[in-house]
Amino acid sequence: MEAILLNFFQWMWGPYWEPIWAYIAPIWPAVWTLLKIVAIIAPLMLCVAYLTFWERKIIGWMQVRIGPNRVGPWGLLQPIADGMKLFFKEVVIPSQADKQLFILAPILSIAPALAAWAVIPFFEGGVLANIDAGVLYLLAVSSMGVYGIIIAGWASNSKYPLLGAMRSAAQMVSYEVAMGLALVTVLMVSGSLNLTEIVLAQNKNHVPVMNFLTWNWLPLFPLFLVYLISGVAELNRAPFDVVEGESEIVAGHMVEYSGMAFAMFFLAEYANMILVAAMTALFFFGGWLSPVSFLPDSALWLFAKMAAVLFFFLWIRATFPRYRYDQIMRLGWKVFVPITLLWIPVVGIWMMSPWSLWT
Amino acid sequence: MELKTILFYLFSAILLFAALRVITARNPVHAVLYLVFTFFNTAALWLLLGAEFLAIALIMVYVGAVMVLFLFVVMMLDINIDRLRQGFWSYLPFGATIGLLMVAEMALVLSSEYFSTASFPDHPISASVSNTKELGRLIFTDYVYPFELASVILLVAIIAAVMLTLRHRTDTKHLDPSKQIAVKASDRLRIVQMSVEKPVTDCAPKEVLT
């Protein structure tokens, strides 16, 4: 990839390339990394835009409506129009707000959502930073997203945002526990914290042809469910969207935000959705591995799996009513944490038994 | 100067500035956020030392969980900053004495034989060795008893914290979700069959005017 790009430059600049390269060569690793970051973030932002469109369409169809269909063919330009509108709107800062923190909050919520993508492998070797502690990095970075919400709620100096911030602080910390514990078993069976190795560890093929039966989702099915539901709760999405809770606290931490500052929260939420979908695909659905043995492995499989998980998120949003807050806490602490704690020794004994799938 | 050294001094300078702001910031929420910032820079310094597991664990545990709850509590407090600053000078000698004592203790500990770099076993860490794997192996082999002891102490702390806050109040409107789920429509609602209008019996006209 790198060589192709350099050859292209050489062809484009001809004899001038040598002196230019003399300047670029010392900083080339940094430039190359930046190019890779752009290659990840730019399509991600496009996906975020069209995820909002897809969400509105799907929920529309599920509720026997048409959904957005005015801007462009089949309404396809709707997210562009929405983005433009938000971009040109004024960012109103309330006079009693803590101005620095008010501006810092949207940045703090979108930065972790983008930074987490550094360790996501798209195919074998197709990863920006192939670090050993990849899973830990993901957990650490995604746990920082809550700061954006809390700081937004407090800095707005208003009642509903503060209530939203309080709700989100308790909810996100609670579900992180269940999510982390569910991932412990995935780490046990893969024997690594590296995301590439976790995916390759699922490539066991105990069942002929149907490779997808040996991916983690089937042997670790209860934990897969716990992880998926905790993921939805961590995203603050329906049916766990008490943080925003339109009918109770208007929009929670986002009440006082307008224009691009509001759009940043929105971008962060959808970027996080895609991230959790990618994590679910990597941990439980074998990442880029092909579901059947006669088709080749490809990054397209990963995207298909992510799309399926994303569709699931939209589906449950259209289906379920909002949880009551005390029931959210009960589900997190009294149901999910005991299930995961019980399942860790179960999987441990299974791994030591002669019937282990992960030798 | 090597890039690593430049980064070390950069992170150290930011770390010291943030730590100073923790105790000088007027607003307690700002102080907590500076503390978060301090943790970040500490993690960056540990990364420079090649201890990536500890660095990420620091961010995950302290920044991701402990400080969130801390911030949660501090935001709920109604703190009058002016009243907090009253009597600063009268408390200063006492506070300064304790501070100096702590500095002296730290200096004694860090300058002792035990913590000098010479006392550490000389493990050349190769880049191919996974930090996390090595740490896990050490915890569960060489240091298994201290590790188990620490976990038991933490368990005792958890149980103590739960017992201290557990009160069986009788006046709460506590709901039992299993009962709520098991509820039937007939438990809450009685459907009565009744006709829309009263039966027309005695209001028929007795005679027709002619």
Side-chain angles (χ1 to χ4, degrees), chain A residues 48 73 79 141 169 227 261 326:
Chain A
V48 165
V141 169
Y227 178 82
D326 61 321

Side-chain angles (χ1 to χ4, degrees), chain A residues 158 266 296 326:
Chain A
S158 167
F266 218 74
D326 61 321

Side-chain angles (χ1 to χ4, degrees), chain B residues 34-51:
Chain B
Y34 272 115
L35 191 55
V36 172
F37 196 36
T38 314
F39 281 130
F40 261 104
N41 284 289
T42 317
L45 286 181
W46 288 358
L47 271 183
L48 283 180
L49 290 173

Side-chain angles (χ1 to χ4, degrees), chain B residues 20-195:
Chain B
L20 197 68
R21 289 294 288 147
V22 173
I23 50 171
T24 53
R26 285 181 64 90
N27 193 321
V29 172
H30 290 183
V32 173
L33 291 173
Y34 272 115
L35 191 55
V36 172
F37 196 36
T38 314
F39 281 130
F40 261 104
N41 284 289
T42 317
L45 286 181
W46 288 358
L47 271 183
L48 283 180
L49 290 173
E52 84 258 5
F53 179 82
L54 281 180
I56 299 176
L58 177 79
I59 292 196
M60 208 167 90
V61 175
Y62 280 90
V63 176
V66 175
M67 294 314 287
V68 173
L69 296 178
F70 205 68
L71 203 59
F72 184 96
V73 174
V74 169
M75 280 177 181
M76 299 299 263
L77 297 177
D78 183 22
I79 296 174
N80 187 345
I81 296 162
D82 289 328
R83 223 182 44 220
L84 270 182
R85 296 174 85 83
Q86 278 172 6
F88 175 75
W89 291 107
S90 59
Y91 288 124
L92 185 63
F94 186 60
T97 316
I98 290 179
L100 282 176
L101 259 176
M102 281 170 73
V103 169
E105 280 174 357
M106 285 296 279
L108 275 176
V109 168
L110 290 176
S111 63
S112 70
E113 273 295 288
Y114 190 71
F115 275 96
S116 72
T117 44
S119 70
F120 286 123
D122 194 22
H123 276 309
I125 299 168
S126 69
S128 59
V129 173
S130 167
N131 206 315
T132 317
K133 217 168 236 171
E134 200 60 23
L135 202 66
R137 200 189 58 75
L138 274 181
I139 282 179
F140 288 104
T141 53
D142 295 1
Y143 296 97
V144 66
Y145 292 122
F147 177 71
E148 293 294 336
L149 205 63
S151 46
V152 169
I153 291 171
L154 278 175
L155 184 67
V156 170
I158 293 171
I159 295 170
V162 170
M163 286 316 291
L164 280 176
T165 50
L166 188 68
R167 286 192 184 83
H168 289 289
R169 284 173 54 184
T170 47
D171 58 337
T172 53
K173 292 177 177 165
H174 177 257
L175 298 165
D176 188 354
S178 53
K179 278 184 192 161
Q180 285 183 301
I181 291 165
V183 84
K184 297 268 185 314
S186 55
D187 298 338
R188 300 278 164 89
L189 182 83
R190 191 166 55 91
I191 297 175
V192 182
Q193 286 291 347
M194 56 192 290
S195 48

